[in-house]
Amino acid sequence: MATLLHIDSAVFPEGSASRDLTATFVKSWLEQHPEGKVIYRDLAATPLPHLDIAAVSAGAEDTLRAELAAELAEADAVLIGAPMYNFTIPSTLKAWLDQVIIVGHNAGPDSTAADTPFTIVASRGGSYAPGTPREDFEFVQNYLEKVLTGMFGATEIDFIVPELTLAPSRPEMAELVPLAEASRAKATEEATQKAKALAARHAA
């Protein structure tokens, strides 16, 4: 039985592109692997505390950090909803990373998460793709790729990127609605297919 660790961090419980797509992923995962297990953390509904000196000093002996590290260790795959807020990840997701990364325990050269596949739904209201005017403002994919490879040695990181999610609700972005719809459709297909592939791999 494979285990999926599912992390959501979008503030809004409804109408969130990242939540909708992580839900699509989980649905596809369970359809392919119904006996699989899903560990779920909603970081907006139940935020984690920021790292403090006591937790840093305790490391893996800290109760919360040990719990989070155990969830990561149990996971055969990790799914993270990471909407762009102010050009980077939500502070709640940064708190999860700070708590779960424990150097000498699950991070470093011998990290137990090195072979764990990470799928990240990196939604954003505009476009920060290469060649766009705001390419330099993209600190979601860049940051998460660096932290996951740098701390865990992760070798399989896939980003699903629905862009222009604000277009349907912003009159000034009306002409971009077709591009937004195409991006959402592409992201939905990617989430579905990636979940199926990972579930099939671990169910075999």
Side-chain angles (χ1 to χ4, degrees):
M1 180 181 73
T3 298
L4 173 68
L5 174 59
H6 172 196
I7 307 290
D8 272 331
S9 62
V11 168
F12 298 102
E14 304 292 338
S16 161
S18 67
R19 285 180 182 272
D20 287 349
L21 287 164
T22 58
T24 295
F25 185 106
V26 172
K27 181 175 182 289
S28 182
W29 164 281
L30 291 174
E31 287 175 348
Q32 184 74 24
H33 187 33
E35 67 275 20
K37 178 181 177 181
V38 178
I39 300 172
Y40 182 55
R41 279 196 176 267
D42 185 336
L43 301 179
T46 309
L48 299 171
H50 290 295
L51 200 61
D52 59 20
I53 190 170
V56 172
S57 300
E61 299 302 314
D62 180 83
T63 301
L64 174 61
R65 301 190 77 192
E67 178 183 345
L68 297 172
E71 291 175 352
L72 179 61
E74 184 181 351
D76 296 289
V78 179
L79 170 67
I80 300 174
M84 178 184 280
Y85 291 163
N86 299 321
F87 308 124
T88 189
I89 63 172
S91 62
T92 52
L93 180 54
K94 179 62 164 62
W96 178 79
L97 287 165
D98 287 343
Q99 294 283 7
V100 79
I101 294 171
I102 308 174
V103 177
H105 177 68
N106 62 3
D110 301 316
S111 174
T112 55
D115 296 326
T116 303
F118 289 83
T119 303
I120 299 157
V121 178
S123 59
R124 60 278 312 274
S127 180
Y128 300 81
T132 62
R134 286 199 163 186
E135 176 183 358
D136 291 348
F137 290 78
E138 204 296 308
F139 299 107
V140 174
Q141 290 173 258
N142 289 337
Y143 169 70
L144 288 174
E145 184 173 20
K146 297 301 183 187
V147 76
L148 294 175
T149 56
M151 302 308 295
F152 294 137
T155 57
E156 185 175 347
I157 305 171
D158 289 293
F159 288 94
I160 297 170
V161 187
E163 294 194 311
L164 303 167
T165 60
L166 289 176
S169 60
R170 297 285 180 86
E172 66 273 21
M173 297 177 69
E175 65 180 15
L176 299 175
V177 168
L179 291 176
E181 292 174 344
S183 179
R184 183 64 169 264
K186 180 175 181 288
T188 300
E189 179 64 16
E190 288 176 345
T192 300
Q193 295 305 319
K194 184 62 180 179
K196 286 182 178 180
L198 287 174
R201 181 195 306 179
H202 294 291

